């Protein structure tokens, strides 16, 4: 199953070519910033031969509908930005993908522009070699960036057959995808696409990909829930760790192994070292006692926080190793511990709860 995600040019013009489509995803770090016990999901023992296909049963994974469509996706998905085809080897990518599938993850996100197309090819080659039933997992890919030629970019008829809503309807009717959604669209733009679909008997979007973490909350928590209730558009969110900032690994310094030191990511290093970045790091350190009390890492706490938002179908994880993925999957065990009292305590520390604008 494939979900195509369309991005608007208006929201992408200011992005660099390497970061154009969907911006930051979770960073590679997973430090716990102290002696807190991590909620760890054990990795199943390796079995001889081909991995038995995962049905999600017995893995502890939770599943949600993608928006109000009938498609069931794992509440934690796996993203490939930065990592696949770039930061990690193909062997490590295969290990990460296998562990994700073993643990019930059935949503894998990529796009045509990640690593200049290599991320898509790496993901495709791994899935082909595994031989898992195509109906047992969902792939989301995004279109806009394409190649370097003018005819390979944007959302033109040449690039994706026709204008967005009509084009996506065509793609689905041709059997090339089963659903489509948006990425980095505003609420008004999504509503316009929905209205056009209803007016001309076309297929409307079912989800929006949006950045969401402890320091980026207004869109997912204030704007998208209304669309979820009115027209059934759910959310697939990315960057739950603010590109690694919400791991307590920085704490006033930038480790040499962090992605901020990778060529092309100076923008993130500048953000981490800015005054706002330092204030956010201080708030992350303030969350450590709560994480210790729950027996988890700050990263797991932050991911669980994102999962509690209404209308969120899946939270995409970006990891650089199978071990890091297993740690982050432990957020599922933390979710049930986020009582109203704990949530209020976290809100008090953050001090920036978004409110609906009158």
């Amino acid at each position: 199953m494939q979900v195509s995600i369309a991005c608007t040019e208006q929201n992408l013009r200011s992005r660099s070519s390497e970061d154009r489509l969907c911006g930051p995803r979770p960073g590679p770090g997973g430090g716990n910033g102290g002696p807190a016990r991590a909620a760890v999901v054990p990795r199943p023992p390796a079995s001889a031969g081909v991995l038995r296909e995962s049905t999600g049963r017995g893995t502890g994974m939770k599943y949600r509908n993608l928006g109000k469509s009938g498609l069931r996706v794992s509440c934690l998905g796996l993203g490939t930005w930065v990592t696949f085809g770039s930061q990690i080897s193909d062997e490590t990518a295969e290990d990460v993908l296998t562990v994700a599938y073993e643990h019930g993850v059935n949503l894998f996100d990529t796009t045509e522009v990640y690593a200049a197309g290599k991320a898509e090819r790496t993901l495709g080659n791994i899935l082909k070699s595994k031989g898992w039933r195509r109906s047992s997992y969902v792939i989301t890919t995004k279109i806009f960036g394409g190649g370097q030629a003018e005819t390979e970019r944007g959302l033109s008829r040449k690039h994706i057959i026709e204008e967005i809503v009509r084009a996506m309807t065509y793609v689905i009717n041709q059997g090339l995808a089963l659903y489509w959604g948006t990425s980095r669209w505003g609420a008004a733009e999504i509503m316009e696409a929905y209205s056009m679909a209803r007016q001309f008997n076309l297929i409307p979007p079912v989800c929006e990909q949006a950045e969401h973490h402890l320091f980026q909350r207004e869109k997912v928590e204030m704007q998208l829930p209304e669309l979820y209730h009115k027209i059934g558009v759910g959310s697939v969110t990315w960057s739950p760790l603010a590109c690694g900032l919400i791991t307590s690994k920085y704490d006033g310094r930038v480790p040499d192994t962090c992605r901020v030191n990778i060529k092309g990511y100076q923008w993130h290093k500048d953000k981490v070292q800015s005054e706002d970045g330092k204030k956010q790091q201080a708030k992350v350190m303030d969350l450590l006692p709560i994480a210790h009390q729950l027996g988890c890492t700050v990263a797991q706490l932050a991911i669980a926080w994102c999962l509690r938002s209404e209308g969120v179908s899946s939270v995409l994880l970006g990891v650089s190793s199978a071990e890091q993925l297993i740690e982050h999957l432990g957020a599922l065990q933390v979710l049930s511990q986020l009582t109203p009292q704990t949530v209020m305590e976290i809100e008090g520390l953050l001090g920036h709860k978004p409110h609906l604008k009158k």
Side-chain angles (χ1 to χ4, degrees):
M1 288 174 284
Q2 178 171 306
V3 179
S4 297
I5 308 293
C7 304
T8 58
E9 182 178 9
Q10 178 181 358
N11 288 331
L12 300 173
R13 284 175 179 163
S14 63
R15 315 290 294 184
S16 67
S17 60
E18 295 185 25
D19 181 29
R20 172 155 249 132
L21 279 174
C22 288
R25 276 204 172 84
N32 58 20
R37 302 183 307 279
V40 176
V41 179
R43 179 173 182 177
S47 56
V50 180
L51 171 69
R52 188 193 315 174
E53 291 184 352
S54 173
T55 62
R57 296 173 183 172
T59 64
M61 181 56 65
K62 300 180 186 300
Y63 298 87
R64 298 173 178 176
N65 286 53
L66 184 62
K68 292 189 177 180
S69 73
L71 181 61
R72 299 285 284 176
V73 294
S74 52
C75 67
L76 292 177
L78 179 66
T80 60
W81 183 68
V82 179
T83 52
F84 279 43
S86 179
Q87 184 184 22
I88 63 178
S89 66
D90 289 355
E91 291 75 16
T92 299
E94 180 175 355
D95 193 30
V96 167
L97 194 69
T98 302
V99 170
Y101 191 73
E102 286 176 346
H103 285 84
V105 174
N106 74 352
L107 176 62
F108 306 123
D109 179 75
T110 186
T111 184
E112 61 182 357
V113 80
Y114 291 166
K118 190 176 180 182
E120 276 192 333
R121 294 193 295 272
T122 299
L123 177 62
N125 289 335
I126 295 172
L127 290 172
K128 182 178 180 180
S129 69
K130 289 298 180 182
W132 300 327
R133 287 192 326 281
R134 185 61 185 87
S135 58
S136 67
Y137 56 85
V138 177
I139 298 174
T140 58
T141 188
K142 293 168 287 295
I143 48 180
F144 182 89
Q148 297 302 313
E150 287 298 315
T151 55
E152 297 173 329
R153 299 185 55 76
L155 300 174
S156 67
R157 180 189 297 264
K158 172 69 176 177
H159 190 204
I160 64 164
I161 313 299
E162 206 173 337
E163 59 85 28
I164 304 172
V165 180
R166 193 174 298 278
M168 290 302 183
T169 299
Y170 174 86
V171 167
I172 292 172
N173 288 339
Q174 293 298 308
L176 302 175
L178 296 181
Y179 303 89
W180 79 278
T182 59
S183 179
R184 301 178 63 83
W185 283 33
E189 293 172 317
I190 297 172
M191 196 67 202
E192 183 179 357
Y194 178 85
S195 299
M196 179 180 294
R198 288 297 181 231
Q199 181 179 357
F200 296 105
N201 196 29
L202 302 172
I203 299 173
V206 299
C207 67
E208 155 70 4
Q209 276 199 10
E211 181 180 8
H212 182 224
H213 50 74
L214 292 172
F215 305 118
Q216 183 76 30
R217 302 175 54 186
E218 183 173 343
K219 181 176 181 179
V220 172
E221 297 180 31
M222 294 290 104
Q223 300 174 20
L224 295 184
E226 183 178 5
L227 292 182
Y228 175 71
H229 288 293
K230 284 186 174 180
I231 61 177
V233 171
S235 306
V236 174
T237 68
W238 45 269
S239 197
L241 303 183
C243 221
L245 189 147
I246 309 176
T247 59
S248 72
K249 68 182 179 182
Y250 293 114
D251 191 19
R253 61 186 180 86
V254 179
D256 294 335
T257 56
C258 287
R259 75 167 49 177
V260 298
N261 295 307
I262 299 176
K263 182 180 179 180
Y265 294 92
Q266 180 64 39
W267 58 269
H268 183 50
K269 189 171 186 177
D270 293 340
K271 181 178 179 180
V272 169
Q273 296 178 332
S274 68
E275 286 302 314
D276 285 342
K278 292 177 181 178
K279 291 178 181 178
Q280 290 173 353
Q281 292 172 54
K283 289 182 181 295
V284 170
M285 300 306 294
D286 290 340
L287 292 173
L288 278 173
I290 298 178
H292 291 170
Q293 184 179 2
L294 298 179
C296 67
T297 65
V298 170
Q300 290 171 331
L301 178 63
I303 294 169
W305 172 273
C306 293
L307 284 169
R308 59 177 284 277
S309 295
E310 186 179 32
V312 170
S313 300
S314 188
V315 174
L316 297 175
L317 306 175
V319 298
S320 56
S321 68
E323 291 72 23
Q324 187 184 25
L325 173 62
I326 291 174
E327 182 213 335
H328 289 182
L329 290 173
L332 292 173
Q333 301 175 25
V334 181
L335 180 60
S336 61
Q337 301 181 62
L338 291 182
T339 63
Q341 182 178 356
T342 302
V343 170
M344 287 181 61
E345 187 176 356
I346 295 174
E347 289 283 14
L349 291 174
L350 295 176
H352 59 259
K353 183 176 181 178
H355 297 281
L356 286 173
K357 296 179 180 180
K358 297 182 180 180

